[in-house]
Amino acid sequence: MSILETITGPRDLDGLGIEQLRELAQEIREFLVREVSKTGGHLGPNLGLVELTIAIHRVFDSPNDPIVFDTGHQSYVHKLLTGRQDFSRLRQQGGLAGYPQRAESVHDVVESSHASSSLSWADGISRAFEMTGQDDRHVVAIVGDGALTGGMTWEALNNISDDNTRNLVIVVNDNGRSYAPTIGGMAHFLNRVRTKRSYRRLHLSSARFFDHLGSPGRAFYRGIRGGTHGFLSRFANNRGPYASLDIKYLGPIDGHDPRALEEALHQAKDYAAPVIVHVITQKGKGFEPAMLDDADQFHAVGQIDPSSGEPLERSNGPSWTGVFADELVKIADRDERVVGITAAMLRPTGLHAMAQKHPDRVLDVGIAEQHAVTSAAGLAFGGLHPVVAVYATFLGRAFDQVLMDVALHRAGVTFVLDRAGVTGPDGPSHHGQWDLAFLQVVPGIRIAAPRDGATLREELAEAIAIDDAPTVIRFPKGGVGPDIPAVRRTDDGVDVLREAPHKDVLIVAVGPLATLALDVAARLADQGIGATVIDPRWVVPTPPSVIGFADQHRLVVSLEDGVRVGGVGTRIRQDLRAANVDTGLTELGLPAEFLDHASREEIFERIGLTAQSIARNVVAQVLGSRIPVAKPLPEELEQLSVDGASERQ
């Protein structure tokens, strides 16, 4: 039996000697490479965090001492050490989540897994312990160095250092990368720390940054360049509201030395005040293909060959991200006003292609979505057209900036939202299901949802041509299917994908759900129900011709991969009412709930967004409203009740 197999909980680590700990670390790395290569997942970050996670669990007493991860994709080793060693269905329906999940274990605390929030969580938890007299409990926050680029981290540090009586340990996991290489002045400083020749010089240089933040008269930021310098100089020169910060610093520590890690963590635990432990690790450690990969060191992988790291499944066609990346380069070649902005997601959002061709016109601001959006408003004011490319789930972090900095000022900024809708295995914190609902309240905004590669290309060009309002292009994760030709296009840009001779049902398809809508229409046609399918292309605001189509039909069905509450269907319903059109409307989309990890298809099946379920739903409504059909329905469909259909909806 391996050592790993004997670990059913953190206290099983207590009796291990130093050589056994090293052997356990090796076993964990072999386990991760073997298992994650079968399922896909975040491999590189966890390979670098093995010894650190072991040391934290030996020194601290989880769950009595809560451990907060920033972000949660680096929690695989934590799962292994807390009794969860079945990775056979990692990130799949019924298997372990790829992030911390409270339903899995009492050892998991924070599920959101959006970067730069852990210190705020840790601040709140530690204050609660202090206020309730739980002085024997500690809070440990594990922060990747990329999280230090996020504004929430600095807001939290300001408050954490306001008093020094709480048991709070902040572990800075410094591997030089968040997803890709870390961006900004903070990164430049830490890079210099990492490259010092001696440990003493390393310690003195980094201690100047973290220890006694804000001590009067300390001029230790002279060597720092970039945006961080001006901000931190206020600490050093005793100016502004942050002049009195004082947080104990320990490090830098070799993140792969069990003995050094435990010694530092014990010192931090005994200090009885907020402490920063600076740990230097190597992302992808122990897996040669990851260590040789300069792009992202196997941050997230699909199924791979565990020996070579080569992917086992290759895409048969282009991805949505790839289509966007190629088209943006072509547009940027023609239009010098176009600039790209992203928040630590240069390669995942496809902006790396433009960065290679036009390096001076692409900005990666680090994990700072709020800054990215407001900076884009400034770029627009200066005569440029910014294209802000982020995951759909992350734009919610910058909603106020979209509303007050971009829309209020009528700035011509295009937002490209990758991973919109159901993303699948990454789970509730990463589904891009909210954007259609929360963006609709922004005055003047225009939202496009391409159904295929061709419409993505043309809608991107249309969006960039708009200079007096924010525009949004949203598309899902994965491969682009075949182009879906339109029967015709209306004067206001609505594509008619299928037109029935008798107008019973109008299906309004949002983006890639056009394929599903056409399948539903074909099933309805088999039952003698005439169905027209349209793709508005620009779903917000509602094109006038959509209202006209609705007035010609007996029932409208909207299909979208966003939440139904406040979604496109709701918008159409309001516009129908304003136009005095009394056609009934059924809004089909995602429920307003957090969807567990599973494949996109499995989630659609569970919530009833399948062609069979939708067709049955529509047939039941047709029967209930006595809409005449061209021929009798099969007996089994005649027996469907409207109530039953509503439940499935």
Side-chain angles (χ1 to χ4, degrees), residues 115-189:
S116 305
S117 63
S118 66
L119 297 193
S120 296
W121 268 99
D123 177 52
I125 296 171
S126 63
R127 286 184 189 275
F129 289 168
E130 183 182 40
M131 291 176 179
T132 55
Q134 301 181 70
D135 298 331
D136 61 333
R137 303 184 70 180
H138 291 73
V139 183
V140 181
I142 303 175
V143 185
D145 65 308
L148 297 177
T149 64
M152 275 189 73
T153 297
W154 294 102
E155 295 173 24
L157 278 172
N158 178 44
N159 283 274
I160 289 169
S161 60
D162 188 51
D163 65 72
N164 59 1
T165 60
R166 289 174 289 135
N167 296 326
L168 172 56
V169 176
I170 302 167
V171 179
V172 178
N173 174 32
D174 176 9
N175 60 20
R177 313 173 81 86
S178 48
Y179 191 111
T182 307
I183 300 301
M186 176 67 69
H188 297 324
F189 176 82

Side-chain angles (χ1 to χ4, degrees), residues 336 338-340 354-363 379 384:
E336 294 183 352
V338 174
V339 294
M354 182 177 171
Q356 292 171 357
K357 186 77 177 288
H358 302 288
D360 296 335
R361 291 162 59 189
V362 175
L363 307 173
L379 288 165
L384 301 174

